[in-house]
Amino acid sequence: MSSEQAQTEKLPVTVLTGYLGAGKTTLLNRILSEPHGKKYAVIVNEFGEIGIDNELVVGADEEVFEMNNGCICCTVRGDLIRIIEGLMRRKGKFDAIIVETTGLADPAPVAQTFFVDENVGRRTKLDAVVTVADAKWLKDRLKDAPEAKNQIAFADVILLNKTDLVTEAELREVEARIRGINPYAKLHRTQRSQIPLNEILGRNAFDLDRILDIEPEFLHVGDGHDHEHGHDHSQDHGHDHHHHDHGGLKHYHDEDMQSFSLKTDKALSPDKFFPWIQKLVAEDGPAILRCKGILNFKDDPDRFVFQGVHMILDGDHQRAWKDGEKRDSKLVFIGRNLPEEKIRKGFDAVVA
């Protein structure tokens, strides 16, 4: 079996996170009731607090609830690993697994489960972390709750929900705050968590192409100039943590969260890259919330994809490079007080 097949045959796992009251339950109820014709296993933290519409529950034993549209609901009273192993043994395969974390939880340990446990890692892959944020209250949460910041920093997809409760100016302000923490997530404005499910499920977050395709929008912030080249200094994009008015779009630098991307069209040496990235996460893992990349190794016909959560890395060959496809390597780092210079220098040193 080719490694590409192995990647595709793993069950995709979506981790759904967000602050209490942001709209996760509404989103889950939609996944559990829409006639999507797919079989999803939904793992929720505490069945009592989630309030899943009772008429959806068809048959229930202690931990598994069957929904009438093919979804299955489990509660995480026991261990996530044990529940997933139980699901794997069930007859009738699933298309995907969705794990809902409690509003106060840091998504890291849940995401790491899919890298760390061998049995789980062999049969599942982390597809995306989806964060539901409340447009009205997020700004306050970012001030007083580090978990809220982590949830934004971790996200591959962010639903900025309840947008009908705020003005356009407030929306732009909160979006700028989100971008200051995580410019790489796909951001959707929603009301009552209404979003096409393919925007949150089956995202293949390993595939950075989509994320980096949208990155230029954040470099050219409305006033047509690139912040890295030849911009006039009256609008200096300095790191003084105040916002400037860039063509009407405020630009925030979060005091303790940063993100940046690296890119090279030179082939990398696997013999240099792996020891470097392993040493980096061993030394600076606590600072690195997420890192992910698509890598072009010398003499390797396949793209190598990897992602990491803190100190734990996971990677695999994904698919062959297509004819005429630009073979470059792209990495993204998101974290707290990241040693950016050190990472950039280290990356420069791993070219073949």
Side-chain angles (χ1 to χ4, degrees), residues 330-344:
K330 304 168 186 160
L331 279 77
V332 167
F333 287 87
I334 297 174
R336 277 199 161 81
N337 305 313
L338 288 170
E340 182 172 348
E341 253 337 276
K342 170 183 172 178
I343 294 174
R344 287 188 185 280

Side-chain angles (χ1 to χ4, degrees), residues 265-279:
D265 47 14
K266 299 183 183 120
L268 304 182
S269 152
D271 299 337
K272 292 180 189 168
F273 178 82
F274 290 112
W276 167 69
I277 195 89
Q278 274 154 355
K279 183 169 186 277

